[in-house]
């Protein structure tokens, strides 16, 4: 029998080659690194993995590579949403065959569906999937899954949990209150790194956190500290993680900031499939400089040659602009632009 | 040289067989009917056409069938958005080969992109597309395209117009003010049927209106009346269209209400790929009864056997509930449920 | 018997003295000017009149002054919303005594009330007011009044109309469809200057437009042209009004941009009761420079000494910044800052 | 010198007589009861206290009565927002004279101000207030106070803290990160009862929680348990409080559900100044029945005569409807309706 899903799963980015194709060797190297750093599981085809920017074939290849490379060392939660229920079910079967522990299926997007339609969609999947299903609620991008709908869906044995990226602590508690009397084993994972420790404290089983793909050591430590009751220490790290998270999240369109940070950890991520203007590429380097400063405080990377400004505990909005100007000047001097 | 796009284009639904496959013969029959009823153009793979619920192959097949069947009688504006720029450009080439007049490309969705990213995305397409491109702004579903971005994109010759489904009359005027001094030929189409006549009066070249797939005679007449200065008559029809539009739009998840109405016009639309609960299927029949009443007022279909309530000029919120109860009772008597 | 309310009413600003008190003589002079320029009515205590920033006594004084000065030349629609129904009814009685034609009552604000509560609030007022009541819907600031609620409220004879500042043309049509079968005499006024002509074309009786307090000649002309069927001419002015409206609305917190423009027309408006930082005061002068350029195109004011940039038909976002810099430099040279 | 504000402050309701006037004796009795039950402080003229529905004179009277009755037993945080800065400063002086510990000033409402204007408003108050000021951020009702603005305002010594009712745990952490390096003594209070314990765990000094006016024993216990590190016990109560909070918050327009509950604790609250329809009054009794069930579980009140349904840990949406029907039937049998 399958063990209950728990811990910090990594919704990882997908490295790309110069020609835009998936960089499979680098993806494998990245998976190894994440596992060595202590992640509890892997989560290909998440929002961080830009699943919508790949073809159906490519999404399958990503899961295949990750399952192969993980090779049972950690469980794989595979994003399986496709264009419609039939295609999604084919992906479920395929990923079951690859050895995934479960699939994660985002609520229907583009169209904003009413709760009854969201229920009908997941019900159809729950009745036919050969593999455990976790619901994926991300109201900023997809049709929201509300509490009554979650409660109704928890009646299906195949639905084993939910990943919620709303970041709303009260909403998470409402889900728990609604579902746990019926399904004490139901798994609650938070996708909002900014409140990982508070979410664990209120009873979450773990998280699927993009930040984990950047600083897996840190998120693992936060998880372990919280579990062992060292809350003050855990919260101290949470405040520091928040600075990193906000810098990655709000300085560029998601998930570009996370890709910039993974690159600093020593991986070739390549250019995004979403085109960028020259201005955005300059911003990218400027952001990396900021991220390098934050990461160097943790000792994960070396500080930039020019040094870092003193930390005041909050993200200085002017800092990015300042460094952007510096980078721009440097690029000009070198004749790059 | 290509003539300027104008008039009412139909973002049509796609009929499905019982097994969920595209019903090609019915689609061809529907295309013929639309052209005979006077639509100025066809628009496959729009939001009404549920493009996100088809595979890339199916989307191509839909455009192929529509172009073949239109056979030059009316221009085809083909929805060409795919998973990423490269795939989208392949679709552009393909649809050019099929004889489409232009492609319509929705702003990136799922991720909510900043204006600079929206610009970068369309810029890449504008620079490489072998066929004219119309932007598609639908802020309720996709990343918004703001006025400065439209102005920047209008600098590319390949970008020939915009379809806007915001329904915001002032926003349409702002776009016109920004773009026309640079590109007097730029095409403005409204996708918000509720204000078709006002949009034509402020200077729109036409519309891409889902309602046109249900009552093509009516939208054509509204267009002709407005163009010939018979505004009072046009507005009278606009008020009646609004009742129909609201009933289709707000009584079910889009575009299910439009599919229900097309069925009343004599086409086998089949079940949606988005699953429905039993409750929703009952609601579907109830809605069809309401729509039958509205359409019978125009003389397009026969009134329901049980007759229609008197019209008060507005959608009575209780009417759907009332008819739902009647339908439910009937279905029970027949042992259907 | 009272005649039906129609035409363009001015929700005017309130001039203040240097000590923050109401500048009564300037208010009287402003009222005279507005009437001479052709406004159909006056609307004290609107959002433009910053009613929430005055005490109850001051609000009364404003209406008293306006009614006295209008002296029956044009009707007065007096904003009468107070802290609760009892206080509001006292204001209704008072304004009836001052000779106001009707009161305008904004939907409850601060708390966001459900439709049933909005209904209960206006019902109580409708049952007890000694003067005609117009509802005031401004969903960006106050609890929205939805279509079913308007329909229910139209059953009270005392409720004679609605002023809607949503700017949503389709919503206005929905209200008309719901109410007119029951109350053919119900008055519909738009408070969204950006779409004044389209709103008149769909059947509005007039507007309560802040822009009217700045360019009363222009809004009057737009009204007259539309009423006499000269739609192309009216729309041409509408596009120009839109530029002015947007500049006033989006360059400062409402209604500061309108106060800046009224000052250009020759009235001492004084400093707002809402404090401003030094930066905002510089922005205020910069905005006035932009507004001076727009207004000089109409011939209402002289162009700035330094001249104006060529007009491209849209508000150039850089223009404000540019002029801001110029103003800043000038102020520095003069030792002001 | 003043001690740092901390603990749970009660933003209490104001009892009204049958004629709508403030019921002063009942307010005094309520204040005594709250202090006896262990609240750390009182907060008159909060949103719960419906400050916008009283006149300026009445708001003053409420604070006077509360300060007198508290008589130094607990500190008073007095809501002091008035129509404009001058009026607000007069209230600040008055409340200082009454012996209030500090004032709480909500961000400007009705108009949605930009951050620079919010700063200018509070700056003016901070420079002139004779009493400590706490900012009050409640973005669902008033102009939001963002992190950079809080940081700027924390430079004024008179600004001693913030009450935040956003309920966003990450936002609270962001404020702490921004302000604490400059002002280690700055006070952070949460106004979102649903997450009181998590907010205390991340470092809040306390809360101003409407629920405290209903179950002061419970919120005090939650505070004490959290402070003494008994987190599991505190969270267990938090989940139960959430059920009560949601029932009071979402079953009626705020703060009517809280008034209904205070009545169950034995106080005559009277009818709200916001009128109610018959339907709403029936809903009020139905809601009280639900609240009675929840409160009886805690042992604070007796269970209803007809008993309570078994608790499943979540608010059953059908329960209110069910009880509403029962109440309706009872009222009909008694000839009340």
């Amino acid at each position: 029998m399958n063990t209950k899903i728990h811990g910090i799963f990594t919704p990882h980015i997908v490295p790309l080659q110069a020609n835009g194709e998936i960089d499979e060797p680098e993806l494998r190297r990245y998976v190894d690194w994440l596992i060595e750093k202590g992640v509890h599981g892997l989560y290909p085809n998440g929002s961080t993995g830009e699943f919508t920017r790949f073809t159906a074939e490519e999404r399958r290849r990503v899961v295949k590579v990750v399952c192969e490379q993980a090779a049972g060392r950690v469980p794989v939660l595979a994003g399986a949403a496709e264009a419609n229920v039939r295609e999604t079910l084919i992906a479920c079967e395929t990923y079951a065959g690859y050895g995934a522990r479960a699939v994660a299926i985002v609520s229907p997007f583009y169209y904003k569906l009413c709760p009854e339609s969201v229920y009908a969609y997941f019900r159809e999947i729950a009745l036919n999937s050969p593999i455990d299903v976790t619901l994926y609620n991300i109201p900023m991008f997809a049709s929201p899954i509300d509490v009554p709908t979650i409660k109704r869906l928890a009646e299906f044995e195949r639905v084993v949990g939910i990943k919620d990226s709303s970041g709303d602590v009260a909403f998470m508690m409402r889900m728990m209150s609604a579902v746990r009397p019926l399904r004490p084993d139901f798994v609650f994972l938070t996708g909002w790194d900014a409140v990982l420790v508070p979410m664990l404290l209120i009873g979450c089983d773990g998280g699927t956190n993009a930040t984990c793909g950047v600083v897996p050591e840190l998120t693992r430590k936060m998880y372990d500290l919280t579990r062992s009751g060292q809350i003050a220490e855990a919260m101290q790290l949470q405040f520091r993680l928040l600075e990193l998270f906000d810098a990655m999240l709000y300085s560029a369109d998601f998930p570009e900031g996370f890709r910039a940070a993974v690159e600093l950890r020593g991986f070739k991520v390549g250019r995004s499939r979403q085109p960028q203007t020259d201005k955005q590429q300059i911003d990218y380097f400027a952001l990396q400089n900021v991220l390098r400063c934050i990461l160097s405080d943790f000792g994960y990377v070396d500080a930039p040659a020019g040094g870092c400004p003193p930390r005041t505990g909050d993200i200085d909005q002017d800092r990015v602009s300042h460094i952007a100007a510096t980078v721009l000047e440097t690029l000009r001097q070198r004749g790059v632009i």
Side-chain angles (χ1 to χ4, degrees), chain A residues 138-327:
Chain A
I138 183 163
M140 69 179 140
F141 291 160
S143 303
I145 312 179
D146 64 12
V147 173
T149 301
I150 288 159
K151 195 178 167 186
R152 290 173 78 188
L153 290 169
E155 289 171 16
F156 298 99
E157 210 183 344
R158 262 298 175 223
V159 178
V160 299
I162 187 161
K163 170 200 172 170
D164 176 73
S165 292
S166 72
D168 186 334
V169 174
F171 178 73
M172 186 66 87
M173 290 170 62
R174 286 182 189 114
M175 291 196 292
M176 291 173 173
S177 289
V179 171
R180 284 196 168 150
L182 312 168
R183 283 282 298 272
D185 60 314
F186 204 82
V187 172
F188 296 91
L189 304 170
T190 177
W192 201 242
D193 317 23
V195 288
L196 175 58
V197 172
M199 286 288 194
L200 293 173
L201 288 173
I202 66 162
C204 279
D205 300 284
T208 62
N209 306 102
T211 312
C212 173
V214 175
V215 286
E217 315 89 331
L218 184 64
T219 48
R220 177 61 186 262
K221 195 168 178 188
M222 286 164 65
Y223 181 83
D224 291 342
L225 285 170
T226 310
R227 283 283 172 264
S228 62
Q230 296 166 275
I231 295 170
E233 291 79 2
M235 274 307 301
Q236 214 167 3
L237 294 182
Q238 177 71 74
F239 273 97
R240 294 179 66 187
L241 185 82
L242 180 62
E243 185 192 14
L244 174 63
F245 179 68
D246 283 358
M248 295 189 293
L249 193 65
Y250 297 118
S251 302
D253 278 336
F254 184 80
E256 202 54 22
F258 293 81
R259 291 170 45 79
V262 170
E263 198 168 39
L264 291 175
R265 295 306 304 263
F267 296 92
K268 288 176 288 176
V269 300
R271 281 224 189 158
S272 169
R273 288 187 167 191
Q274 159 63 31
Q276 293 186 318
T277 61
D278 290 350
K279 182 185 170 306
Q280 287 180 307
Q281 287 174 41
I282 293 165
D283 289 345
Y284 181 91
F285 291 118
L287 172 61
Q288 272 194 332
N289 235 328
V290 172
L291 295 177
R292 184 179 290 280
C293 287
I294 299 175
L295 290 172
S296 70
D297 278 2
F298 288 108
Y300 296 140
V301 303
D302 293 332
C308 289
R311 308 309 266 279
T312 59
D314 66 306
I315 289 295
D316 185 345
Q317 299 296 325
D318 298 333
R319 212 190 311 163
V320 175
S321 315
H322 170 72
I323 299 180
T326 315
V327 170

Side-chain angles (χ1 to χ4, degrees), chain A residues 8 33-41 74 212 216-217 220 224:
Chain A
I8 311 292
W33 180 80
L34 287 168
I35 295 172
E36 282 157 24
K37 293 292 181 185
V39 304
H40 295 96
V74 297
C212 173
E217 315 89 331
R220 177 61 186 262
D224 291 342

Side-chain angles (χ1 to χ4, degrees), chain A residues 78-150:
Chain A
E82 295 292 339
N84 53 60
V85 169
R86 190 167 61 181
E87 300 293 323
T88 296
L89 285 172
I90 294 172
C92 290
E93 277 170 48
T94 309
Y95 299 162
Y98 292 161
R101 165 67 186 84
V103 291
I105 298 179
V106 68
S107 185
F109 52 93
Y110 190 69
Y111 302 103
K112 295 293 166 281
L113 301 187
C114 69
E116 189 77 8
S117 292
V118 170
Y119 171 75
Y121 174 82
F122 281 119
R123 178 183 177 279
E124 193 73 14
I125 291 168
L127 288 174
N128 295 287
S129 172
I131 182 171
D132 282 350
V133 172
T134 56
L135 311 173
Y136 178 10
N137 184 42
I138 183 163
M140 69 179 140
F141 291 160
S143 303
I145 312 179
D146 64 12
V147 173
T149 301
I150 288 159

Side-chain angles (χ1 to χ4, degrees), chain A residues 12-33 54 57-70 98 267-270 273:
Chain A
H12 60 79
I13 63 119
V14 175
L16 299 173
Q17 301 174 21
N19 64 3
E21 296 293 327
I22 297 168
D23 187 340
E24 189 176 312
E26 196 69 359
L27 176 55
R28 290 183 184 274
R29 195 169 73 88
Y30 183 40
V31 164
D32 280 345
W33 180 80
F54 290 93
E57 292 67 34
E58 287 174 324
R59 279 190 287 273
R60 250 153 255 195
R61 194 166 150 223
V62 167
V63 176
K64 188 160 188 285
V65 166
V66 170
C67 285
E68 275 178 18
Q69 198 66 19
Y98 292 161
F267 296 92
K268 288 176 288 176
V269 300
R273 288 187 167 191

